[in-house]
Amino acid sequence: MNAGFYRVLANPVIKAMNKRRRLKPSQAGGVLIVGTNQLLEIHMVDVSLIKEHLEVVGSDGGHVGRVDHVLGDQIELAKLDFAGGFKHHMIPVSWVERVDDKHVHLSLTQDDAKARWTEKPH
């Protein structure tokens, strides 16, 4: 990214830009950042779709855990899950690529997610 000025555009602006530039922001809801020489899409997920007990899987399909609940911009994984060593772990919502009716899909592999998650403080 350039160090130039960037501004965030809301969905109505994105739709208008699509007609002119044929951009395709994510169907899950996206934000485009417009800069001097670049146009980038930032993928955003509707956090309300992340429900308790959904299985969290890495980009490789590996089991990472199960959702306990969402705390702001963090997902707390269930303590009673063998994959988590029976401890609560936290992962950022920004790792979520998409959500379907059974899974929360991460943009990281199972191993990467487990290497980077944080243990919930007591």
Side-chain angles (χ1 to χ4, degrees):
M1 275 173 71
N2 289 342
F5 173 75
Y6 291 87
R7 62 190 166 113
V8 178
L9 303 175
N11 277 335
V13 177
I14 292 170
K15 289 177 184 173
M17 291 178 71
N18 271 342
K19 292 178 184 175
R20 284 183 271 148
R21 296 189 185 174
R22 300 173 197 243
L23 302 170
K24 295 181 182 177
S26 154
Q27 289 182 348
V31 175
L32 294 174
I33 296 181
V34 178
T36 14
N37 298 323
Q38 295 178 331
L39 187 57
L40 305 172
E41 179 183 351
I42 295 179
H43 180 75
M44 292 174 45
V45 171
D46 182 355
V47 177
S48 68
L49 297 175
I50 303 172
K51 304 289 185 194
E52 187 176 336
H53 304 298
L54 284 179
E55 181 182 13
V56 179
V57 295
S59 59
D60 56 354
H63 177 80
V64 174
R66 290 209 173 266
V67 175
D68 191 0
H69 56 277
V70 178
L71 296 168
D73 64 347
Q74 297 285 310
I75 300 170
E76 182 175 333
L77 300 179
K79 180 178 179 179
L80 297 177
D81 188 87
F82 184 73
F86 301 103
K87 296 178 183 179
H88 283 290
H89 290 93
M90 307 296 288
I91 60 171
V93 171
S94 62
W95 291 0
V96 177
E97 182 70 28
R98 63 188 168 85
V99 180
D100 60 34
D101 58 338
K102 295 183 181 179
H103 301 95
V104 175
H105 298 267
L106 302 180
S107 58
L108 285 76
T109 65
Q110 174 191 32
D111 290 341
D112 288 342
K114 288 183 174 185
R116 295 174 58 189
W117 66 15
T118 58
E119 192 172 320
K120 181 181 177 184
H122 300 290

